[in-house]
Amino acid sequence: MKRYEKFADDIAELIRSGVLGPGQRVPSVRYASQTYGVSPSTVFQAYYLLERRGLIRARPRSGYFVNTYAPSPFSEPVISSQVNESTKVDVSELVFSVLESIKDPSTVPFGSAFPSPTLFPLQRLSRSLASAAREMDPRMVVTDMSPGNPQLRRQIALRYMVGGLMLPMEELLITNGALEALNLCLQAVTEPGDLVAIEAPAFYASLQVLERLKLKAVEIPVHPRDGIDLGVLAQTLERHPIKACWCMTSFQNPMGATMPEAKKQELVQLLKQHQVPLIEDDVYAELYYGQQAPKPAKAFDTEGLVMHCGSFAKSLAPGYRIGWVAAGRYAQKIERLKLMTSLCASMPAQAAIADYLQHGGYDRHLRKLRYALEEQQSAMLAAIARYFPAQTRVSQPAGGYFLWLELPPQMDSLKLFQMALAQGISIAPGPIFSPTQRFRNCIRLNYGSPWTEDAEKAMETLGRIVRSF
């Protein structure tokens, strides 16, 4: 065994034994070299090896840290096998009851769809907003109606370019959050009564959009790691007149799954064969824990069939309600639909975010946000291991801020929701993520808030309630 391999094994044993815990810094290269009597080159080789094993990761200008995204002690949730022909959607009452539960600030918000506002640079954003308001040309009221503020669209196009995707600005439309973008995309390609392929489980807001537009859902199972089942989707496209496919290809809500690049490319090719548009909901794209952002399915689109929807609500400015769509061949139709419904997104908010993207240090903020979310995920996983039944199955996504828990079969998550709420704890029960109200023994938990003693006590209480069933 070479010296760097032996040193790497020694550090790995410290991690496995818990001497070096998740998120802790490993010895600096200089300290390790002096203490263990090896050359800096040997230490670097050892740390590179530990990185490849997934045990540590480098933080720019900070050193090496034990990876909080370590192999999970839990089994992953079982992929849904039930496939429905088509389903009328009716979930809004359930969803509204969950949304109502998180309004009380004293409630522990494990059922929330948002990360904590304390993780965002709100004071710096307010300075950008004040500056934008002072300098805003009154003519922008007319000139910056849809498709939106040109400076903001240029900044978004630059971020696509840095990620390896060249998009013309003409394809970009600014919206009132990603949800409006997703609504407009569906309206552009469907009529009432049409069939839309969606994930199972799916984000409840997508189900509410289908319900409002009187569309029918065809559920496609989602693997907890790799995303939507392309085999089932292919069969569905052969058997049914699917008019659109709506899915999250990275850090899917609620499961957290991310499709590998090859699978995203295969998805785009499959839909291209059937000329079915893909509505790609990618609002968590910036919240990855690794060294590189996953490519969107849009990167493999050669015919303008993919409508890629994003937002700053989950990564920067939740209250500003600024999203966008890179709409491909549907850009003009969606722009006209936008003008017919809400004209334009808030102009001061657009100008403020454009200013922040240019001058505010967005990437520096994102690095801090990702580290915080990764460490909070580790804390919640540890709490689940301490307090929940051993047969609990848990997803472990490489980004975002949700965990999907599959609880013992006798569990009724709707009853659990009510019992937890009585204890001041909000959760998202599984049935709100399905038009057929399946996943009754599943819940989604949000770890997007800083971990506190209250959060730890809430997990202990929640685990005790689960064990009582």
Side-chain angles (χ1 to χ4, degrees):
M1 183 181 291
K2 295 178 180 178
R3 293 194 75 185
Y4 79 88
E5 292 175 325
K6 173 66 168 65
F7 180 63
D9 282 351
D10 289 345
I11 297 295
E13 183 55 35
L14 292 175
I15 294 170
R16 278 191 291 270
S17 65
V19 175
L20 288 173
Q24 283 190 305
R25 185 176 178 177
V26 301
S28 70
V29 173
R30 178 184 296 177
Y31 179 84
S33 175
Q34 294 172 349
T35 304
Y36 293 91
V38 295
S39 69
S41 173
T42 298
V43 178
F44 272 120
Q45 283 183 291
Y47 286 178
Y48 294 155
L49 178 60
L50 291 168
E51 274 194 297
R52 291 196 296 273
R53 291 182 187 172
L55 292 175
I56 67 172
R57 59 183 298 214
R59 293 186 184 176
R61 298 183 296 278
S62 298
Y64 289 88
F65 292 77
V66 178
N67 205 342
T68 52
Y69 178 54
S72 174
F74 305 100
S75 298
E76 63 188 14
V78 177
I79 186 171
S80 167
S81 58
Q82 181 180 338
V83 180
N84 294 294
E85 294 298 300
S86 66
T87 309
K88 180 183 175 182
V89 183
D90 184 11
V91 297
S92 283
E93 285 305 315
L94 269 177
V95 172
F96 290 144
S97 66
V98 173
L99 295 178
E100 190 68 28
S101 74
I102 61 174
K103 289 183 178 179
D104 184 347
S106 66
T107 299
V108 180
F110 293 153
S112 172
F114 293 94
S116 168
T118 62
L119 298 176
F120 299 112
L122 299 181
Q123 288 188 338
R124 177 62 183 83
L125 270 169
S126 67
R127 293 201 299 272
S128 285
L129 182 60
S131 172
R134 283 195 305 270
E135 298 174 11
M136 195 165 62
D137 186 332
R139 289 172 295 182
M140 289 169 60
V141 174
V142 176
T143 60
D144 283 7
M145 282 199 301
S146 296
N149 181 295
Q151 285 74 34
L152 178 57
R153 290 162 65 221
R154 187 173 295 111
Q155 290 294 324
I156 293 171
L158 284 171
R159 295 197 72 80
Y160 276 113
M161 185 182 71
V162 169
L165 181 53
M166 301 296 292
L167 285 179
M169 275 183 57
E170 293 73 26
E171 195 178 327
L172 290 169
L173 173 78
I174 307 300
T175 59
N176 294 306
L179 191 56
E180 185 186 43
L182 294 157
N183 268 274
L184 293 171
C185 290
L186 262 185
Q187 291 176 63
V189 295
T190 64
E191 298 288 342
D194 282 346
L195 272 59
V196 178
I198 64 164
E199 297 159 317
F203 178 39
Y204 54 74
S206 69
L207 303 180
Q208 290 184 294
V209 174
L210 266 62
E211 183 178 339
R212 186 181 66 82
L213 296 177
K214 301 188 183 332
L215 299 166
K216 293 182 179 179
V218 180
E219 293 181 283
I220 311 296
V222 171
H223 187 280
R225 229 176 321 110
D226 298 339
I228 196 166
D229 188 321
L230 294 186
V232 174
L233 178 60
Q235 294 172 14
T236 301
L237 291 168
E238 292 288 346
R239 294 172 56 191
H240 298 289
I242 301 295
K243 297 298 183 182
C245 177
W246 177 339
C247 70
M248 292 184 176
T249 59
S250 296
F251 318 126
Q252 190 257 5
N253 179 0
M255 269 201 167
T258 296
M259 297 176 71
E261 281 188 14
K263 193 171 179 181
K264 289 176 182 176
Q265 188 170 12
E266 189 180 347
L267 169 65
V268 173
Q269 286 299 114
L270 176 61
L271 294 173
K272 175 182 168 183
Q273 290 170 20
H274 294 269
Q275 288 296 291
V276 171
L278 172 64
I279 300 170
E280 185 177 18
D281 184 351
D282 205 14
V283 295
Y284 306 103
E286 298 281 17
L287 305 183
Y288 57 91
Y289 301 157
Q291 296 300 310
Q292 193 169 2
K295 281 186 178 179
K298 180 72 175 175
F300 307 104
D301 180 27
T302 57
E303 295 197 358
L305 271 171
V306 179
M307 292 169 273
H308 184 257
C309 301
S311 169
F312 294 104
K314 309 299 191 295
S315 61
L316 178 64
Y320 285 51
R321 302 305 305 151
I322 297 297
W324 73 89
V325 55
R329 67 170 72 170
Y330 306 100
Q332 185 182 64
K333 187 170 185 179
I334 289 174
E335 181 180 344
R336 289 178 177 177
L337 283 168
K338 170 71 175 165
L339 287 166
M340 290 165 63
T341 51
S342 59
L343 286 180
C344 64
S346 164
M347 290 175 183
Q350 289 186 65
I353 291 180
D355 177 84
Y356 181 86
L357 293 179
Q358 190 169 3
H359 306 295
Y362 186 38
D363 286 302
R364 183 171 61 251
H365 154 68
L366 286 174
R367 283 193 294 272
K368 289 175 61 180
L369 177 60
R370 291 175 196 133
Y371 294 150
L373 293 176
E374 190 175 12
E375 289 174 358
Q376 288 159 207
Q377 183 195 83
S378 181
M380 181 171 275
L381 284 169
I384 293 168
R386 279 193 291 273
Y387 305 125
F388 280 63
Q391 61 266 51
T392 301
R393 293 174 174 266
V394 188
S395 65
Q396 191 173 344
Y401 48 89
F402 296 120
L403 295 179
W404 180 254
L405 279 67
E406 183 184 325
L407 302 171
Q410 71 273 17
M411 178 59 56
D412 184 334
S413 61
L414 293 175
K415 288 183 180 177
L416 176 62
F417 166 73
Q418 295 295 343
M419 294 172 72
L421 195 58
Q423 299 293 322
I425 306 164
S426 170
I427 63 170
I432 70 172
F433 300 99
S434 167
T436 52
Q437 298 185 18
R438 290 189 285 145
F439 309 108
R440 211 165 181 86
N441 66 320
C442 298
I443 60 174
R444 187 199 70 185
L445 296 181
N446 178 327
Y447 56 85
S449 295
W451 203 254
T452 62
E453 186 178 344
D454 284 345
E456 185 73 23
K457 288 179 179 177
M459 289 297 290
E460 184 177 6
T461 301
L462 199 54
R464 186 169 62 248
I465 297 172
V466 170
R467 289 175 180 276
S468 72
F469 271 76

